[in-house]
Structure formats: C-alpha cells, structure tokens
Amino acid sequence: LGTLYLYHTDYRYLRSTEEWRSKDGLNFWGFDLLPAGGYKNGDFFDKTSSAYLWSSDANGSEAYALFVNYYDTPAIKSFDKKAGYSVRCIEE
C-alpha cells in the first residue's frame, strides 16, 4: 500500500464512479475502490464516505491501513488489529 499511496496524489483516480458520497470517483485504472467504511466495537461506520484497506505491515497489536475518504487527503495510519477493514490484493 505504501507504493500505491506514494504513486497517486489524487485518489479520485482509484475511487469507483459509484457509491461515494461525493460522486467524483474516476476509476481511471480500474481499481474500483468502493467505500466500505469499517467495523469497530460492534458498530459499522463511514459506509458511504470512507475506505480502509489493511496492509501487510503490522506492529504489535496494531496494523497499518490506507485510509481514503471523499473529503480529505488519504493517509496510512495505524489501527487496532481487532477492527474490521477491507482487504485488496495488489500484484506488484
């Protein structure tokens, strides 16, 4: 995910043309990133406004995920491994 994060400065190119609250996704490379939100502490959240994609990098009880939403700059953040986020396999 680090390479994907550094390569793309405008995440509209990765976001699906449908489902996002902002409706500005371009899906230019066919990645078709859909908002799925997440699951934490028994609740779903951000189902139409954010995508969280786990990476294979972990640190103790936390792992890193790419966080993309419709209104802010994407980021790679550390989250508790107990959270429920999406997984996408990316061929290098």
Side-chain angles (χ1 to χ4, degrees):
L1 285 178
T3 303
L4 183 67
Y5 174 74
L6 293 173
Y7 183 74
H8 299 288
T9 57
D10 186 341
Y11 279 79
R12 292 178 304 153
Y13 289 101
L14 297 176
R15 289 197 310 244
S16 170
T17 57
E18 300 177 15
E19 305 296 327
W20 287 90
R21 183 179 294 167
S22 61
K23 305 287 186 205
D24 67 347
L26 300 172
N27 195 28
F28 190 76
W29 288 283
F31 191 74
D32 206 26
L33 181 62
L34 293 168
Y39 182 81
K40 191 160 83 172
N41 299 325
D43 290 316
F44 289 97
F45 60 91
D46 291 348
K47 292 189 280 186
T48 62
S49 62
S50 300
Y52 298 79
L53 299 173
W54 283 123
S55 78
S56 59
D57 297 324
N59 183 12
S61 65
E62 295 189 339
Y64 295 95
L66 174 65
F67 167 68
V68 178
N69 60 28
Y70 74 94
Y71 57 86
D72 202 3
T73 303
I76 293 179
K77 297 181 179 185
S78 179
F79 296 97
D80 189 311
K81 289 180 183 178
K82 294 178 183 175
Y85 299 142
S86 299
V87 174
R88 291 285 298 265
C89 296
I90 301 172
E91 184 177 352
E92 292 188 34

